[in-house]
Amino acid sequence: MTGRVIVLGSLSQDLHLDMPRHPHTGETVMSSDIEYRFGGKGANQCVAAARAGAPALFIGKVGDDAQGEQYRNRLGRYGVDTSRLQVQPDAPTGTAIIYINGDHDNMIVVAPGANHKINSDDLSALDDLTADDILLMPNELQPQIVIEATSRARERGARVVLNLAPYDSLPVDTLAQCDPVIVNEHEHELMRADGVELDNLLITLGTEGSRWGELEVPAVAVEALDTTGAGDAYCGTLAARLVLGDSAEQAMVAASAAAAACVQHLGAQPPLPEENGQA
């Protein structure tokens, strides 16, 4: 039986600002363009998992606003199961502001909104997890939610894949229950500064590829247009390929290819057909 990728995470409407360079403290830099897109690490990763061929279910919250309704419909278009995506009446849909410089590098500021209204009661959505499933989580949730969700998933025999981004310290016993914990180079340095060393660590290395224990997989060389969602494409595809039965190395190869494809379009998620000018 094929399992599912269940993503417990965040979603947001993204405001993209293009500029020649990132501003210094106290400096004003003019943006050449402004564009609204769709993001949030949880939703990005769930879309990537669905596109990689796995049954994908998203657990999260949106505000009772037009942005939330639009996002629910969009996820459905990608084939994501949104039956556990709840409306939170007292908070707006999450928002992120993304600053992109002339080298296509980005800086991101997130206002979580409804994402931080996820509470322990909402984790009842994990009660039907099985040993065939993978729970995938980015670290944009409140720490206690990540800790409890990991424990619940492991009690049911499900595998947990944790993307420790943005970085925040978590109990080592929680991290040890995940397979793997995914970090980029910067997050790895922060982890090491906290004195945390893990055997179950997968490090994404940008243009140098990725490393998981003794496994090393090169990156796919492409011309990057927008790096915003590359890490999320990697995480979602990795989880999907693992749940579909790939080996760790096969999953890493597929994830690297997905990350390369992601940086060749604008925005964290691939455009829908109508956004490409298709009928």
Side-chain angles (χ1 to χ4, degrees):
M1 177 180 175
T2 299
R4 303 165 295 165
V5 175
I6 289 87
V7 179
L8 173 63
S10 57
L11 56 73
S12 65
Q13 183 176 66
D14 290 354
L15 172 60
H16 287 243
L17 297 170
D18 290 319
M19 56 198 64
R21 58 181 176 79
H22 294 141
H24 300 295
T25 302
E27 181 185 19
T28 299
V29 174
M30 299 299 290
S31 172
S32 60
D33 195 15
I34 181 172
E35 187 173 349
Y36 291 95
R37 302 181 190 143
F38 296 84
K41 299 187 72 63
N44 296 343
Q45 292 177 17
C46 202
V47 166
R51 284 174 56 83
L57 181 145
F58 185 75
I59 302 173
K61 291 191 173 184
V62 294
D64 187 11
D65 48 34
Q67 292 85 355
E69 181 63 23
Q70 189 177 13
Y71 215 142
R72 178 189 298 275
N73 293 335
R74 182 182 183 86
L75 290 174
R77 296 284 304 280
Y78 285 115
V80 171
D81 182 347
T82 61
S83 60
R84 298 303 183 103
L85 178 56
Q86 300 180 51
V87 174
Q88 184 70 28
D90 60 348
T93 298
T95 301
I97 302 176
I98 301 171
Y99 304 91
I100 304 170
N101 69 11
D103 294 325
H104 307 296
D105 293 322
N106 63 71
M107 297 172 62
I108 304 173
V109 179
V110 176
N115 295 310
H116 273 194
K117 295 294 185 176
I118 296 173
N119 58 48
S120 293
D121 291 341
D122 299 319
L123 299 185
S124 62
L126 303 177
D127 288 347
D128 65 348
L129 284 172
T130 73
D132 295 312
D133 296 327
I134 286 180
L135 173 63
L136 172 61
M137 290 184 290
N139 204 36
E140 286 183 330
L141 301 171
Q142 297 185 83
Q144 65 268 27
I145 295 298
V146 176
I147 293 166
E148 184 176 348
T150 299
S151 178
R152 288 197 183 202
R154 294 302 301 134
E155 287 173 357
R156 290 157 178 77
R159 184 174 190 166
V160 179
V161 176
L162 175 64
N163 176 212
L164 201 57
Y167 179 79
D168 192 9
S169 58
L170 289 173
V172 174
D173 60 344
T174 294
L175 298 176
Q177 295 180 69
C178 305
D179 184 26
V181 174
I182 305 173
V183 295
N184 63 21
E185 294 173 279
H186 174 66
E187 293 148 2
H188 185 219
E189 288 302 315
L190 293 174
M191 179 181 290
R192 293 179 65 182
D194 281 344
V196 178
E197 296 289 343
L198 299 173
D199 294 328
N200 55 330
L201 196 65
L202 192 162
I203 307 171
T204 58
L205 304 166
T207 58
E208 300 301 314
S210 54
R211 182 172 67 246
W212 186 359
E214 299 299 317
L215 290 174
E216 295 189 12
V217 169
V220 178
V222 294
E223 187 72 25
L225 180 63
D226 180 0
T227 62
T228 304
D232 296 333
Y234 187 102
C235 294
T237 302
L238 183 94
R241 298 316 306 175
L242 289 173
V243 90
L244 292 170
D246 279 7
S247 68
E249 184 172 13
Q250 289 170 329
M252 291 171 71
V253 169
S256 293
C262 181
V263 303
Q264 294 178 81
H265 61 71
L266 294 174
Q269 297 172 14
L272 291 164
E274 63 270 22
E275 295 166 339
N276 267 335
Q278 302 174 24

